[in-house]
Amino acid sequence: MAGKNYKSSFEKVDHSKLYDYKEALALAKSLSTTKFDSSVEASFVLNVDPRQAEQNIRGAMVLPNGTGKTQKVLVITQGAKEEEAKAAGADFVGGKDMIDEISRGWFGFDIIVATPDMMGQLGKLGKVLGPKGLMPNPKTGTVTMDVTKAIDEIKKGKVEYRVDRDGNINVLVGKTSFSEEQLAENYKALYDVIVKARPNTVKGTYLKSVTVSTTMGPGIKVSVD
C-alpha cells in the first residue's frame, strides 16, 4: 500500500521543475500519506570538500517555530551545575554515573550537553557516541558552562546541521502538522544560515541543489537564489 501511495505522490510532482520554497513545502505537506505526523526535511547539496577544515560546515540554530519534536536532554556535569541543569528542565543529569550508564549501553536520550570539565571523561566514549552523532561539540553549543541556555534552546527547537562526507546537509524543518507558513519560516531561516556559512575557499557555485521531502514522500526540488 505504501508503494502505491508513494507512486501516486511521486506522479504529482513535476520533477523537471524547480519549485519556489513555499510552493515546494506546501506540496510536500499535501502529498504526505503516512498515518503519523511525518517529519519534513530539507536536503542541501553543497560544492564543498569536508576533508578541508574550513569547508567542514557544522553548527546549530533554533528554528523560529521549533521542530515539533520533543528532545530528551542529558546533561553531563558536576557540582552546582547539576542543580542548574535540573532547574532548567534537563531530562537526565549526572556525571561519572551517567557516563558509566552509557558505557553499559544506555541511550534513553536524544542529545547530550556537557560542561567542559567533563569532556575528558566523556571523550573516552568517542567510539560509541561519535558514530551516533551524540558527542557534544562547542560548535553546536553543546559543550558549555551555560547549561541553562543550552537546554532552553534545545527545548525550543534547536537543530544541528553538519555536512557529510559527500557534501550534503540534511535537516529537519518541522512536521506535516505545521502550517505552510510555519514550515516556510523554518526553511527560510535554515536556508539563510547555510548560505551564510559559505567558506571563503569555495570557488564557483556553492549551493548545488536543495530538495524538500516528508517521511516516505517524494523529493521536491527547490529553486536556489
Side-chain angles (χ1 to χ4, degrees):
M1 194 67 178
K4 198 184 276 185
N5 285 338
Y6 179 84
K7 192 175 178 216
S8 172
S9 296
F10 186 86
E11 287 169 352
K12 289 173 184 169
V13 177
D14 182 349
H15 297 281
S16 64
K17 175 181 174 180
L18 290 175
Y19 288 81
D20 169 78
Y21 73 92
K22 292 181 182 177
E23 189 184 2
L25 290 161
L27 182 58
K29 179 176 153 71
S30 72
L31 294 179
S32 179
T33 56
T34 58
K35 290 193 171 111
F36 55 89
D37 190 10
S38 291
S39 296
V40 182
E41 197 172 82
S43 300
F44 299 80
V45 179
L46 307 178
N47 174 31
V48 294
D49 179 2
R51 291 169 300 179
Q52 293 184 37
E54 197 203 336
Q55 295 189 20
N56 190 8
I57 297 166
R58 183 176 188 181
M61 63 173 292
V62 178
L63 293 173
N65 301 297
T67 60
K69 184 180 171 190
T70 305
Q71 299 257 64
K72 286 188 178 174
V73 182
L74 163 63
V75 177
I76 302 288
T77 189
Q78 58 189 354
K81 286 287 170 184
E82 289 195 35
E83 291 309 314
E84 183 187 331
K86 287 173 188 172
D91 298 277
F92 308 100
V93 182
K96 186 180 180 300
D97 55 329
M98 285 296 181
I99 293 171
D100 290 343
E101 284 289 324
I102 296 168
S103 67
R104 287 193 286 267
W106 174 69
F107 289 98
F109 54 88
D110 298 303
I111 191 164
I112 303 176
V113 172
T115 45
D117 56 325
M118 298 301 292
M119 286 305 292
Q121 293 181 59
L122 194 58
K124 292 169 187 170
L125 295 179
K127 286 182 180 174
V128 177
L129 297 174
K132 293 178 183 287
L134 291 170
M135 182 59 79
N137 189 293
K139 283 187 179 178
T140 57
T142 46
V143 177
T144 177
M145 286 302 287
D146 195 346
V147 295
T148 299
K149 181 185 175 188
I151 295 163
D152 185 52
E153 287 184 345
I154 292 164
K155 295 290 185 181
K156 279 180 179 171
K158 186 177 190 176
V159 290
E160 292 188 12
Y161 54 89
R162 184 179 189 180
V163 69
D164 65 19
R165 63 184 182 184
D166 297 316
N168 307 315
I169 292 178
N170 302 303
V171 185
L172 176 73
V173 292
K175 298 278 189 177
T176 48
S177 59
F178 281 27
S179 69
E180 291 174 15
E181 291 77 17
Q182 287 175 316
L183 288 171
E185 282 178 14
N186 278 0
Y187 171 87
K188 185 65 168 67
L190 172 66
Y191 177 87
D192 289 347
V193 166
I194 300 293
V195 168
K196 199 174 177 183
R198 175 181 179 137
N200 294 328
T201 49
V202 169
K203 300 286 186 277
T205 303
Y206 164 58
L207 200 48
K208 288 180 173 177
S209 68
V210 185
T211 306
V212 296
S213 61
T214 60
T215 309
M216 294 164 65
I220 302 166
K221 292 178 181 173
V222 182
S223 62
V224 179
D225 292 342

